[in-house]
Amino acid sequence: MWFRQDLRLRDNPALNDACQSDKVIPVYIYDTFNTGNHKLGSASRWWLHESLSSLNRNINNSLVMLSGDPQVILEELVLVSGAGKVVWNRNYEPWQIARDTIIKSKLESTGTKVCTYNGSLLWEPNKILNSSGQPYKVFTPFYRNGCLNSANPRTPTTRSGSCTFHYLEKMDRGIDSLELKPQINWYDQISKFWKPGEDSAIKKLNKFLSNSVNDYNSGRDVPEKEGTSKLSPHLHFGEISPNQIWHSATTKIKDKFSVPDLDCFLSQIGWREFSYYLLYHFPNIPEENFNQKFDNYRWENEGPKLKAWQRGQTGVPIVDSGMRELWKTGHMHNRVRMIAGSYLVKNLNIDWRYGKEWFWDCLLDADLASNSASWQWVSGSGADASPFFRIFNPILQGEKFDKDGIYVRKHCPEIKRLPNQYIHKPWEAPDQLLRECGIELGKNYPRPLVNLKESRSEALDKYRELSNS
């Protein structure tokens, strides 16, 4: 059983198949050979280390952990163990598809049986097409007409109780050989907020369905509330399947929450499906503008401004709070992600790919499909993207979704003494008030990098150049 982004025992289709055999050799291979530009970021590596440790404990420390080229390693494992069959759950990133196709062919050519399954998506991307037989490019028809009108997502299965794991000790190199954790223990603060692993994922889902989902439609936009599920890193590493989430949510409908809240929550899972769908059918979206006219957009990509954004030192409190939350916890609230992303691309005029790369390294839920599609959405260059002229005003966004400044005061304590009237725009506060609050703009809290109104106007002028070219 080749574990990949499916680090769980429940609802694991490939593992269910493997458990039909007398002995199952569980294997994890950290691919250092095929990833190219998509090596795991720092935060993701920490999560993977913890998740593998959790899985290993749950199978009596029988997980064989190796790193290198999976094709070479799997062939050696089959030879050493005498296994007649290899199973895995499919991954859908383009480089993984190419790799797995070769591996499957090589194994089968030597007489080894290979079976693969869908354990990470509700619907296979190649099965959902429009009436013309072409891929959808807009979310709503994809989700409403394509997904919801096709076969229902499969019902999740429980953990197989009869599975006998066989520890191939002579092949195991141990988790430390993967070198997932950095030498500097920067992740100590992240570990205070998260507990990776299948059991933690199940508990988080149950807690969400018992509490936050009742107000999901509106609560999900308020960053200081526990309004979202925070299941995304668990989903990315496969500690829980989308089928488990979908099934658990839909069975709660009658007595736990309203239809609008359910529909809103399930549609967010639908957006995850749409991101993978786009990546499957348009594999260049991590690097190239989906809308090619943006290839001619005039980016500045100024180094100091990018660094200030990364460090939460833009002088715009709601943006700085999000970037500091990201650095401290490996997570950023979804509403704030949109605000921070819009600010980078449209106010600082920096190419969305720089934002994508920073998120890739810092996010625990860094996912090639969702990260790429989301950044293209906020920049206006993607499929069914937010129109470029929809430029988030971070002041108004802060005043609407963090009206009492709770989120900002938590992450930007330098300005916490400011009254609500100025908490999202400290540069407008009177000098006397700033002095009373102990704030020196440009010293203990930065002045804004750019004028919001002027930078918005400049971005729209550059966009008009595209439209007229």
Side-chain angles (χ1 to χ4, degrees), residues 50-104:
E50 299 299 312
S51 187
L52 286 171
S53 298
S54 175
L55 175 64
N56 197 26
R57 288 192 298 270
N58 287 341
I59 57 175
N60 300 317
N61 298 311
S62 58
L63 184 62
V64 176
M65 288 183 264
L66 301 162
S67 64
D69 182 358
Q71 178 185 330
V72 174
I73 292 171
L74 285 170
E75 289 176 349
E76 184 179 2
L77 283 166
V78 168
L79 182 64
V80 169
S81 67
K85 184 177 180 181
V86 178
V87 297
W88 66 74
N89 292 306
R90 292 187 287 275
N91 291 337
Y92 294 88
E93 296 179 10
W95 69 269
Q96 293 170 327
I97 294 173
R99 174 198 66 187
D100 295 351
T101 301
I102 294 173
I103 291 175
K104 186 174 186 290

